[in-house]
Amino acid sequence: MGAVMAVPLVRYLLYPVGRKIVSTPDAPIDIAAAADIVAGADPVRLPIIASGVRDAWNRSDNVAVGSCWVSKDQQGAITAFSSVCPHLGCSVSFIEKSSDFRCPCHNSAFDKNGAKKDDGPAKRGLDPLQVTVEEGRVKVTYQRFRNDIAEREPV
Amino acid sequence: MLGLERIGDWFDERTGYREGLKKALDEDVLGGARFAYVFGSVLSFLLVLQMTTGVFLAMYYSPSATDAWASVAFVQDQVSAGWFVRGLHSHGASAMVIVAGLHLLQVAIFGAYKKPRELNWIIGVLMLGLILAFALTGYLLPWDQTGYWATQVATGIAGTSPVIGEQVQQAMQAGNGYGNLTITRFFALHVFVLPAALIGMVILHLKLFRKHHQTPPWWLDKRQLKARVQPFWPDQMFRDMVAMALVFAALVAVNLYTHGAPLDAPADPSTAFDARPEWYFRFLFQGLKYFHGILEVIVALGAPVIVGGVLLALPFLDRGPDLSPKKRLPYLAVLGVGVAMVGALTVVSFMEDKNNPEFQKAHKAARESAKKARALASTYGVPPQGGAAVFTMEPGYRGNQLFKRDCAGCHAGGERKGPEIIEGYNSRQWIGDFLRNPSANRFFGVTKLDDMEPVSETGEDFDALVELVYAQSGAPDAKPQLAAKGQALFDDGSCSDCHSIDWETEEELGPNLGRRGSASMLKEFIVNPGHLRWYGDKNEMPASKGEYSKADLQELVNYLIGLREKQRPKG
């Protein structure tokens, strides 16, 4: 009797493990007009507002799933970093004074190009999000990665 | 009284309750009743309080990612005494941690973990773990910014466990990220699993306590102990009740002073938030800052294991018969160092935040955001999309979104193609600045319409012209007399060479200024700026005929009119 109950209950409990319970469509998400991002300026935090977001039984449109730090270099190339700290998942800030990214939780630090600085506990740099520019609009592909490991492993 | 006694007899004959009661209360306290023994009773009292307030909270709480924050905000700000009940529950959790800590120290100092009470000590340590698990799971349930971000760190740490870290993390948060299932899982743990486990352990703990009794003070010998025996009821019970009353009074006082527990803005993964755990986890949080790489995993996962392990092993390490703390100094010293380290890390953590201007700024912004979210929730309700959607209920929010989407590209920012439309737009100041220098970059300098001459009037005449234009908007604070004077100047001076101000006249050199800035004018203008009344064939702005619903157009116009009352940002 024990096994008859235990097997289904354990399977029931572990159902979410390894499954995409929370998901955002793979299609690039419009975040801004390319013209609004000033070349050479400090990165700006832009919210990522997605539609078709699944959360278990819910499906929602126009919800904020995260944010990214976006900048444009002098040649006009746009990069975006996920604002999720690769250490333990807090939200990193850009510090103007030191011109670098800092996590307010455990002081992980990243330079302006997202590379990991020596101080701070993060094991990798900020996670870049794929950027495309179509008809003057900046779009990013939203992804989350496993935290606190050196590799970039999507979840 | 006779009646009551007879009712008592009736029940006693059928249940034998009197004997049970006698058993429960007639317990000899060797060496006399003491305030040192009150902590266990106070903990039982707090547990009952937590269960009561918890059940009441559950009557309003809705465990889903979209509802949780809204339902907690409802309890906090709408339900009668909701803030009081929730505050007691939240502060009560802190009280449990404190009293459990004191209980542990009392037991340790009295050597009460020694043979034959080892198992009861172990159960006690496990219960302390359960209390912390309650705190951790409860912190997330409001689904506010603090709970959401701080708990991410906790599950993130679980994710660093060797080999099965990812699986452990996903089992805890129920999936690849935070969402509905995270809440339902934490909720089930918090209100079913943990209480059942804790109650079971409390029963065992009390049973074993009754079997072995309290550990008498080490400074009294056997003869003295025998000489000073007092019954549990009323001597110890009285002390217990005094302690309960004091703790309860303190709890209520703190609750009144803080007006309940804090509730932050709804969880929003797109915003910045400086997450901090509850104060009793601060030492772990702070500790993590000092250890990087492989050391981090060892500390984050190892420290709790080591601390728990040392506590659990204590009765087997300190096995001598001596109860006197003096003879057990090494063991108590280890405990003391542990307590000192926890205390020091906690203080350092709070001091670091206090001296960090960035954190203070973020903290202040978070408090303001919380205040706004809760005010909006109280006034308008929370949309079904989720807590964070409460911000869309702000008057002007939709208009602002439409403006950002459709208008800001040309009317704000670095690559403007039309006059700047920001805070202060169409205020007297804006109109005045415009009339003095219409071709400035802020105004028509970036368009082809840059041939208007600056107005040459000064002093009150200038103010009168400004007032005339301002009054067209129908602003309630317009001054009709001054505007009338402006009208005379308008008609007599050079303005009327190019402009009319009557709404009707068309095809002049400059736009008709009638009703300028009013809702009716803005609505028609947005839809068709090239109307002959305004710019005709000189118009550069795309018409948006048919693009807006009536409601959206109204929202956009409300937003534009709202800018008039706002202060133009400096620079």
Side-chain angles (χ1 to χ4, degrees):
Chain A
M1 202 178 87
V4 172
M5 281 312 286
V7 170
L9 286 183
V10 169
R11 286 187 60 210
Y12 181 91
L13 203 63
L14 297 183
Y15 165 80
V17 177
R19 243 175 252 266
K20 279 211 166 222
I21 300 292
V22 183
S23 67
T24 306
D26 297 332
I29 299 162
D30 190 327
I31 55 165
D36 285 349
I37 296 159
V38 182
D42 283 341
V44 284
R45 180 200 288 275
L46 293 174
I48 300 172
I49 315 273
S51 285
V53 176
R54 294 292 304 267
D55 174 6
W57 50 84
N58 276 143
R59 180 212 141 101
S60 356
D61 295 331
N62 288 318
V63 289
V65 290
S67 65
C68 54
W69 285 100
V70 183
S71 55
K72 193 193 258 182
D73 67 14
Q74 295 297 357
Q75 284 74 45
I78 294 175
T79 46
F81 293 107
S82 170
S83 62
V84 177
C85 180
H87 178 222
L88 290 172
C90 292
S91 184
V92 294
S93 301
F94 185 78
I95 308 295
E96 276 172 45
K97 230 190 329 187
S98 46
S99 193
D100 58 4
F101 293 99
R102 296 254 160 193
C103 180
C105 286
H106 305 99
N107 304 338
S108 287
F110 312 90
D111 70 19
K112 214 175 165 179
N113 302 316
K116 177 180 125 57
K117 284 188 154 186
D118 283 340
D119 48 338
K123 296 193 176 71
R124 62 170 188 262
L126 290 177
D127 300 320
L129 297 178
Q130 198 192 325
V131 177
T132 49
V133 180
E134 287 169 31
E135 296 175 2
R137 303 294 303 180
V138 183
K139 296 181 176 183
V140 298
T141 307
Y142 185 64
Q143 255 188 321
R144 286 193 70 138
F145 303 89
R146 249 191 92 183
N147 56 259
D148 216 18
I149 53 173
E151 310 79 50
R152 225 161 251 133
E153 204 178 285
V155 290
Chain B
M1 280 312 281
L2 197 72
L4 264 184
E5 218 175 299
R6 281 183 56 192
I7 294 172
D9 291 343
W10 191 91
F11 274 104
D12 192 40
E13 278 165 28
R14 283 151 187 85
T15 62
Y17 82 92
R18 278 186 183 137
E19 204 198 320
L21 205 63
K22 201 162 140 30
K23 252 191 180 164
L25 295 174
D26 274 0
E27 153 108 12
D28 282 344
V29 183
L30 283 178
R34 285 174 195 282
F35 274 105
Y37 305 150
V38 299
F39 300 113
S41 298
V42 172
L43 275 174
S44 312
F45 163 72
L46 285 172
L47 178 61
V48 171
L49 192 72
Q50 289 304 88
M51 287 178 1
T52 312
T53 48
V55 168
F56 275 76
L57 286 175
M59 290 189 187
Y60 288 90
Y61 178 70
S62 177
S64 83
T66 47
D67 275 358
W69 185 85
S71 68
V72 176
F74 188 76
V75 168
Q76 185 72 18
D77 297 324
Q78 314 264 318
V79 178
S80 307
W83 66 268
F84 185 80
V85 175
R86 179 168 173 263
L88 273 188
H89 194 73
S90 168
H91 296 314
S94 290
M96 281 199 88
V97 173
I98 295 171
V99 180
L102 292 174
H103 189 42
L104 183 133
L105 288 179
Q106 184 266 325
V107 168
I109 290 167
F110 275 65
Y113 48 74
K114 289 182 175 242
K115 188 183 169 190
R117 301 187 178 85
E118 300 96 322
L119 281 179
N120 225 14
W121 166 265
I122 289 171
I123 293 170
V125 172
L126 294 179
M127 286 200 291
L128 180 64
L130 283 184
I131 289 174
L132 294 178
F134 265 111
L136 187 77
T137 47
Y139 206 45
L140 177 73
L141 294 182
W143 207 246
D144 63 348
Q145 290 277 61
T146 316
Y148 180 84
W149 291 102
T151 313
Q152 299 259 359
V153 175
T155 50
I157 290 169
T160 61
S161 330
V163 192
I164 52 160
E166 191 179 8
Q167 284 74 18
V168 171
Q169 182 177 7
Q170 295 210 358
M172 275 177 79
Q173 67 190 19
N176 55 333
Y178 270 39
N180 280 315
L181 298 187
T182 320
I183 293 201
T184 50
R185 187 151 293 204
F186 274 55
F187 182 67
L189 286 171
H190 191 78
V191 306
F192 298 115
V193 181
L194 293 172
L198 187 59
I199 290 167
M201 286 199 192
V202 166
I203 292 170
L204 271 178
H205 201 62
L206 287 175
K207 280 256 176 207
L208 287 179
F209 172 70
R210 273 310 171 89
K211 186 174 169 68
H212 301 298
H213 309 287
Q214 111 279 9
T215 304
W218 64 88
W219 62 89
L220 297 177
D221 60 36
K222 270 190 179 158
R223 200 174 43 83
Q224 286 170 307
L225 288 178
K226 284 266 162 64
R228 291 173 64 179
V229 174
Q230 284 179 312
F232 177 76
W233 169 267
D235 295 84
Q236 184 59 44
M237 188 76 164
F238 171 74
R239 286 167 175 79
D240 287 358
M241 284 171 87
V242 168
M244 288 178 207
L246 284 177
V247 168
F248 184 66
L251 202 52
V252 170
V254 169
N255 196 27
L256 291 176
Y257 180 72
T258 56
H259 194 76
L263 176 65
D264 262 306
D268 183 349
S270 72
T271 56
F273 194 80
D274 292 10
R276 292 292 179 271
E278 273 284 49
W279 63 266
Y280 33 81
F281 290 124
R282 277 287 183 120
F283 70 102
L284 283 174
F285 167 83
Q286 186 66 20
L288 274 189
K289 291 187 190 170
Y290 304 123
F291 300 96
H292 303 163
I294 188 73
L295 273 179
E296 179 195 30
V297 184
I298 294 171
V299 170
L301 296 163
V305 172
I306 291 169
V307 171
V310 167
L311 285 176
L312 290 173
L314 192 56
F316 307 103
L317 299 173
D318 176 17
R319 295 165 62 158
D322 263 317
L323 293 181
S324 165
K326 269 190 200 156
K327 307 227 167 94
R328 296 184 294 124
L329 270 182
Y331 302 103
L332 293 180
V334 169
L335 212 60
V337 168
V339 171
M341 269 171 64
V342 168
L345 283 170
T346 307
V347 170
V348 170
S349 175
F350 279 102
M351 290 307 285
E352 261 187 26
D353 282 351
K354 201 174 160 222
N355 298 325
N356 178 354
E358 294 279 345
F359 176 82
Q360 290 301 332
K361 216 171 90 192
H363 191 60
K364 192 166 164 246
R367 273 200 310 253
E368 270 157 25
S369 170
K371 209 170 135 193
K372 189 166 156 191
R374 283 166 55 183
L376 288 169
S378 294
T379 313
Y380 302 102
V382 180
Q385 292 92 312
V390 77
F391 290 110
T392 66
M393 300 309 291
E394 193 182 7
Y397 178 86
R398 175 73 184 151
N400 186 6
Q401 293 297 100
L402 291 170
F403 181 83
K404 271 196 205 154
R405 187 186 77 186
D406 301 339
C407 319
C410 293
H411 286 291
E415 305 193 17
R416 228 167 3 90
K417 297 190 189 74
E420 188 177 51
I421 300 181
I422 56 171
E423 289 86 350
Y425 171 65
N426 277 351
S427 62
R428 289 189 181 92
Q429 182 70 45
W430 190 92
I431 295 167
D433 289 351
F434 174 82
L435 293 180
R436 279 198 195 93
N437 188 8
S439 301
N441 181 280
R442 273 174 70 189
F443 302 113
F444 284 97
V446 292
T447 71
K448 288 178 215 144
L449 300 159
D450 57 356
D451 47 0
M452 174 171 159
E453 292 293 323
V455 168
S456 54
E457 276 81 351
T458 53
E460 212 198 280
D461 285 358
F462 182 79
D463 292 343
L465 283 171
V466 169
E467 197 64 22
L468 172 67
V469 178
Y470 182 74
Q472 297 304 309
S473 66
D477 65 338
K479 303 176 188 123
Q481 268 182 316
L482 193 58
K485 185 182 171 193
Q487 181 75 57
L489 289 164
F490 183 95
D491 294 338
D492 297 344
S494 54
C495 304
S496 53
D497 295 348
C498 304
H499 293 284
S500 289
I501 193 157
D502 62 354
W503 184 255
E504 304 299 335
T505 313
E506 293 176 358
E507 287 194 272
E508 287 191 291
L509 278 172
N512 190 319
L513 300 176
R515 300 189 200 168
R516 188 183 173 286
S518 67
S520 60
M521 175 269 177
L522 286 169
K523 275 186 207 167
E524 291 201 30
F525 184 86
I526 290 166
V527 170
N528 185 14
H531 190 283
L532 296 176
R533 179 189 300 126
W534 294 302
Y535 294 112
D537 53 11
K538 291 189 218 97
N539 174 54
E540 294 169 40
M541 174 170 149
S544 48
K545 201 166 181 146
E547 273 181 35
Y548 292 115
S549 68
K550 244 184 171 173
D552 275 357
L553 191 58
Q554 185 66 49
E555 290 285 351
L556 183 55
V557 165
N558 287 350
Y559 173 75
L560 294 173
I561 291 175
L563 292 174
R564 195 171 66 203
E565 311 294 332
K566 297 203 170 114
Q567 206 62 38
R568 178 168 185 254
K570 293 208 164 66

